[in-house]
Amino acid sequence: MKKLFASVLLLLASVASAQMPTSTVPLPADIAAIKKANVLVVAMTKKDNPPFFSGEEDNIHGLDVEIARRIGVLLGVPVQFRRDAESFAEVVEQVRDGRADIAVSKLSVTGPRLQVVRFSDPYIKLRQSLVINRLWLSQNSQGREVYQVIRDFNGKISFIRNSSYDTFARINFPNAQFLPEDKWDVIIDRVTRGDIAAAYRDEFEIKKIAFEKPDAAISTKTITISDSVDNIAVAVHPKAVQLLSIVNHVIKNEYNNIDTKKLMDRYKAEKK
């Protein structure tokens, strides 16, 4: 009887085993595609932007590089950095049309970009800032406080072409004369000389001017706009919902306390 009972149990176990699925649970489509390619393609602009990213291939380094590699570790795939984008706008397009899986490129969240890609939680929140020519400010204040001059700003203002500040400027300073430029150094030189009234960018990039060009303070004044925030985040394809949750996990657990001071510390360390 015992032998018969044991035989019945063995038969039932064999039947149950045959009925169990042999494959694992299917992965979400966005993760499955990355696993199949066995690489996470990360879009960045062509121009170095320390301490966020600089260098090429094995020598590439920076905050954004670290974040991208941590995402790759969670996915279990190597990371490939794509550095052929001429502008921040092109970085977004590479994610939107599938040429890259994510963009980690000191990328600001803007209304137009939100319409074509998904953004992670911000890993940095920077205040927007202006560098204003002191002579222009003096000539146009006419007894008004600085904040009043800025609120009604109607001078020549320059910013990086196709950057988030191209968008922010047209929203925040509708009466200004807009002069997009490809090179930030050219913009700062023009403000310093008085060719234009102001340069517009985030507080970190403005602080770098004092470190790199201390003489600029003689002819310019820095103004931080406390109620205007530039959220820096990772972009993913609109359908990459599961990938976005992985990105947010990395940011929440490892990169949620970065501020301007820490960025400057990183930047100065790289310059030594």
Side-chain angles (χ1 to χ4, degrees):
M1 181 63 71
K2 289 182 179 180
K3 290 183 178 180
L4 177 61
F5 183 68
S7 298
V8 171
L9 288 178
L10 182 61
L11 177 62
L12 290 174
S14 299
V15 171
S17 177
Q19 292 176 342
M20 290 181 65
T22 56
S23 61
T24 59
V25 177
L27 292 169
D30 54 341
I31 304 302
I34 293 171
K35 290 281 192 178
K36 183 178 180 180
N38 194 37
V39 65
L40 178 72
V41 181
V42 180
M44 291 176 167
T45 57
K46 179 184 293 186
K47 182 177 175 57
D48 286 352
N49 196 342
F52 294 91
F53 52 92
S54 56
E56 293 289 344
E57 299 177 353
D58 293 340
N59 293 321
I60 192 169
H61 58 277
L63 174 62
D64 287 3
V65 175
E66 293 175 17
I67 293 174
R69 284 178 172 154
R70 286 300 301 156
I71 295 168
V73 167
L74 259 66
L75 290 167
V77 298
V79 174
Q80 175 186 327
F81 295 100
R82 179 167 188 157
R83 297 288 310 278
D84 58 346
E86 296 286 350
S87 66
F88 294 100
E90 188 176 344
V91 167
V92 173
E93 282 301 303
Q94 288 181 351
V95 172
R96 185 193 65 81
D97 63 22
R99 285 177 286 163
D101 298 305
I102 63 175
V104 198
S105 185
K106 199 198 173 192
L107 201 60
S108 302
V109 180
T110 67
R113 292 173 183 173
L114 282 167
Q115 297 176 42
V116 296
V117 295
R118 289 178 181 264
F119 276 99
S120 70
D121 297 334
Y123 56 94
I124 301 174
K125 293 184 178 182
L126 300 171
R127 292 176 298 177
Q128 298 177 22
S129 295
L130 293 166
V131 176
I132 295 187
N133 181 270
R134 289 182 182 273
L135 180 58
W136 182 92
L137 184 61
S138 175
Q139 291 173 340
N140 287 270
S141 60
Q142 298 177 345
R144 295 179 297 168
E145 296 291 338
V146 172
Y147 79 88
Q148 294 175 309
V149 179
I150 300 306
R151 183 185 61 193
D152 302 323
F153 187 88
N154 61 359
K156 295 178 180 179
I157 187 169
S158 191
F159 38 79
I160 301 295
R161 193 188 316 276
N162 292 325
S163 71
S164 57
Y165 285 82
D166 200 325
T167 299
F168 296 151
R170 299 172 196 278
I171 294 172
N172 297 330
F173 307 112
N175 299 319
Q177 300 173 58
F178 308 118
L179 298 171
E181 175 58 58
D182 294 321
K183 297 181 178 180
W184 181 239
D185 285 346
V186 171
I187 295 174
I188 298 306
D189 288 343
R190 295 187 69 191
V191 177
T192 302
R193 292 195 306 264
D195 296 340
I196 59 175
Y200 191 29
R201 212 170 176 186
D202 66 75
E203 62 178 323
F204 170 67
E205 296 295 338
I206 301 300
K207 285 180 180 296
K208 280 168 60 176
I209 298 171
F211 178 73
E212 297 174 344
K213 299 181 177 182
D215 291 344
I218 298 172
S219 58
T220 64
K221 179 180 179 63
T222 298
I223 297 173
T224 300
I225 308 172
S226 58
D227 59 350
S228 294
V229 178
D230 183 2
N231 291 303
I232 308 299
V234 178
V236 305
H237 190 275
K239 295 182 179 179
V241 178
Q242 197 66 28
L243 177 58
L244 182 62
S245 68
I246 292 174
V247 173
N248 279 333
H249 175 79
V250 170
I251 291 172
K252 181 179 179 180
N253 284 276
E254 301 182 47
Y255 300 96
N256 64 350
N257 63 347
I258 301 169
D259 55 22
T260 306
K261 182 181 182 304
K262 290 181 180 179
L263 286 176
M264 282 302 301
D265 290 343
R266 278 176 171 262
Y267 180 71
K268 290 177 181 178
E270 285 191 18
K271 290 294 182 179
K272 287 183 178 179

